[in-house]
Amino acid sequence: MKTQTGTCAGDADTRRVLIAGGGYAGTSCAVALARMLRGREDVEILLVEPDPCQQALSELDLVAVGPPRPQFCELWHPTVFRDLPVTVCYNRVDHIDPARHIVRIGDGEEVPYWRLVVATGAIPFIPDVPGLIDNAVTMWSVEDAQELQQRVDRAFKAAARIASAEERRRILSFAVIGGGATGVEIMGTMSQMLPRRMEEHGLLPEELSVMLIEGRAQILYDLPDKQRDRAVQRLEKMGAEVITGEMVEWVDDRSIRLSSGRTVDASVVVFCGGAHADPHATGWDFETDNAGRIIVGEELKAPGFDDVYVIGDVSSFRNPKTNNVLPMLAQMAIQEGPHTAKNIYAEIEGQPTSSFTPHMRGEFVSVGPRWGVGWMYSFNLTGFPAIVMKRITYVKYWFQVGGISLAWKRTWEMLSMGW
Ligand SMILES: Cc1cc2nc3c(=O)[nH]c(=O)nc-3n(C[C@H](O)[C@H](O)[C@H](O)COP(=O)(O)OP(=O)(O)OC[C@H]3O[C@@H](n4cnc5c(N)ncnc54)[C@H](O)[C@@H]3O)c2cc1C
């Protein structure tokens, strides 16, 4: 691996494959292509990514409120690319000019490409609800998990100083807005971990209030009915209140107002209300769908631009089997990355490229650290087997990008943290 922090320009004679974004899609693409190209000097792989660590977002439920260190979810690019012919330029792609086959990076430098892979992901979607952006923490990075841990710690310290039980209960009220997979996972972790942590701090767990608020009639709307009901039962068993069919009207630093007129106490609010494709994508001369994702054809190329692939959350690929756009999921991104690598390699070799066929083999949601719900092929899985399957998806990804040594190291770390 080579690192270029300032300039991204390389050798003008080599064919440059420029990958914008080093998340699940970009990293898995760079690794797969680098393994195929090892030993060749005529093709350069340049990854442009501002963050030296990949944020393994699907692992955030492990660390949201401690005790494991949130940095567990950071996969360092220098480790992944250590022995691979990938040059990493720690910068942002500012603009893409597909007509000129040029990318402009953060400091204004223009970098030409032979093939471009756009993999810039998504950002949290935050609706225009008064007070939401100022008072809620989103869950999109290790920094977000650290911020949530700090807010929880501050609430514990404030509660410990207060004599009035009523006021303590108010301060120990935590809410998660959004009953999709992320919201349920964070609520599950909070419901399970916070009583334990309160006991350790000498606080009374019965003074804790945790609630999940969802605007739709049900949580986990893309899971089978039975699995949703099981998740609700599990959350309620762990002491969480699950409020459905209620929109949030406003949020302040101590409470949330719901559409029914009810106001609930919430000194710490987490917002998990969904994702929005990288907003810059709409300004890059590619066709985008209503959600702002770049439309791609069957080979994951942007129509009209034969040298541009778009993969991961920022791309809008219609599954030919269902005619639905693929969901924003890591399991899609890590199939699209290696497929694109194979197609680029085929183009280098002058071979035909192939269409992408997505495989949705299952979906698992943790509800607390050691229990989950989900499905695999045509089976529903509940409880410990579901959580084992979810953790196996992490191990598979570590193996995919880092081989046996990374998979072993991180699995061991995960198990030794008690998960
Ligand atoms: C809390 C949480 C839990 C999740 N759990 C699951 C799960 O259990 N299973 C599952 O399948 N999916 C899960 N997801 C969804 C999954 O994380 C995303 O689908 C996945 O991250 C998409 O991969 P990506 O590579 O497209 O984007 P990302 O992983 O977001 O990576 C995008 C990268 O692009 C970089 N970037 C952005 N803009 C630029 C730019 N202008 N120039 C250069 N680089 C740029 C960013 O820094 C980032 O590193 C979860 C998401 C969240 C937030």
Side-chain angles (χ1 to χ4, degrees):
M1 176 195 143
K2 282 192 268 174
T3 305
Q4 287 177 202
T5 38
T7 172
C8 286
D11 184 348
D13 295 334
T14 51
R15 285 183 281 182
R16 178 177 297 127
V17 178
L18 194 153
I19 302 173
Y24 285 99
T27 301
S28 61
C29 180
V31 168
L33 187 59
R35 286 185 185 146
M36 290 182 233
L37 290 176
R38 221 193 287 254
R40 284 183 71 143
E41 299 286 319
D42 56 333
V43 184
E44 178 199 4
I45 305 171
L46 179 66
L47 174 70
V48 184
E49 159 65 52
D51 193 340
C53 314
Q54 185 202 330
Q55 306 280 309
L57 298 174
S58 67
E59 299 163 21
L60 275 180
D61 65 303
L62 285 173
V63 300
V65 285
R69 45 187 197 98
Q71 292 87 335
F72 175 75
C73 297
E74 289 176 337
L75 201 56
W76 282 72
H77 285 127
T79 324
V80 173
F81 297 122
R82 182 182 294 143
D83 301 320
L84 292 172
V86 176
T87 303
V88 186
C89 176
Y90 293 111
N91 216 321
R92 292 192 76 77
V93 165
D94 228 18
H95 186 68
I96 297 171
D97 187 342
R100 292 173 59 219
H101 315 279
I102 272 177
V103 156
R104 194 175 67 226
I105 59 160
D107 48 13
E109 184 189 358
E110 290 193 336
V111 186
Y113 58 80
W114 174 73
R115 289 292 177 272
L116 172 66
V117 181
V118 183
T120 51
I123 58 166
F125 166 71
I126 304 179
D128 194 15
V129 169
L132 183 63
I133 201 160
D134 298 326
N135 294 293
V137 55
T138 53
M139 197 44 62
W140 207 264
S141 62
V142 165
E143 283 85 36
D144 286 344
Q146 286 167 329
E147 173 65 25
L148 175 59
Q149 293 197 4
Q150 280 167 16
R151 289 187 191 197
V152 167
D153 283 347
R154 281 201 293 271
F156 284 178
K157 281 182 184 152
R161 290 192 203 105
I162 289 168
S164 150
E166 194 187 334
E167 186 58 11
R168 270 201 313 272
R169 281 180 196 277
R170 194 195 62 71
I171 286 177
L172 294 169
S173 302
F174 303 136
V176 174
I177 303 173
T182 304
V184 168
E185 292 197 339
I186 301 303
M187 178 84 304
T189 306
M190 290 174 94
S191 309
Q192 183 121 357
M193 302 302 296
L194 292 184
R196 224 183 283 169
R197 290 195 53 207
M198 286 175 69
E199 261 175 8
E200 283 164 17
H201 290 69
L203 298 166
L204 299 171
E206 54 273 26
E207 292 185 349
L208 171 73
S209 146
V210 281
M211 75 189 71
L212 178 67
I213 303 166
E214 165 59 44
R216 299 182 199 228
Q218 282 159 321
I219 62 167
L220 295 176
Y221 54 89
D222 49 0
L223 281 193
D225 283 352
K226 228 183 198 173
Q227 297 304 74
R228 291 180 194 150
D229 294 345
R230 286 175 172 151
V232 172
Q233 283 161 16
R234 179 71 182 185
L235 285 171
E236 288 177 344
K237 196 171 159 200
M238 291 193 296
E241 182 183 2
V242 180
I243 301 173
T244 52
E246 292 258 31
M247 300 303 286
V248 169
E249 291 199 331
W250 53 252
V251 181
D252 65 18
D253 60 350
R254 45 191 293 149
S255 51
I256 296 174
R257 171 70 158 234
L258 303 174
S259 47
S260 62
R262 180 181 168 199
T263 302
V264 292
D265 288 335
S267 76
V268 176
V269 179
V270 188
F271 184 71
C272 302
H276 186 287
D278 174 14
H280 301 99
T282 49
W284 288 338
D285 289 344
F286 302 118
E287 196 184 342
T288 51
D289 67 11
N290 291 340
R293 297 170 81 182
I294 299 173
I295 294 172
V296 293
E298 53 189 23
E299 291 180 355
L300 298 166
K301 286 187 179 184
F305 299 101
D306 204 37
D307 54 358
V308 180
Y309 292 87
V310 187
I311 57 176
D313 284 358
V314 72
S315 118
S316 172
F317 175 85
R318 214 166 263 285
N319 186 346
K321 276 195 214 144
T322 60
N323 203 31
N324 292 331
V325 171
L326 291 187
M328 289 183 178
L329 284 175
Q331 64 164 309
M332 293 298 137
I334 62 178
Q335 291 174 38
E336 291 173 353
H339 185 85
T340 298
K342 258 191 238 158
N343 272 346
I344 293 174
Y345 187 71
E347 291 185 291
I348 292 167
E349 295 286 293
Q351 303 291 327
T353 51
S354 61
S355 304
F356 173 64
T357 308
H359 298 286
M360 184 79 182
R361 298 188 179 98
E363 197 180 350
F364 303 99
V365 179
S366 66
V367 189
R370 287 182 204 91
W371 200 95
V373 287
W375 60 272
M376 192 172 69
Y377 298 103
S378 51
F379 301 104
N380 283 341
L381 284 184
T382 311
F384 192 62
I387 209 71
V388 169
M389 288 313 299
K390 184 170 165 70
R391 304 300 182 227
I392 285 176
T393 62
Y394 303 170
V395 179
K396 272 179 71 184
Y397 179 64
W398 300 331
F399 181 73
Q400 184 177 338
V401 295
I404 189 75
S405 60
L406 187 73
W408 173 252
K409 184 178 163 288
R410 288 179 66 85
T411 303
W412 183 249
E413 198 178 341
M414 180 170 70
L415 292 175
S416 59
M417 289 187 311
W419 307 96

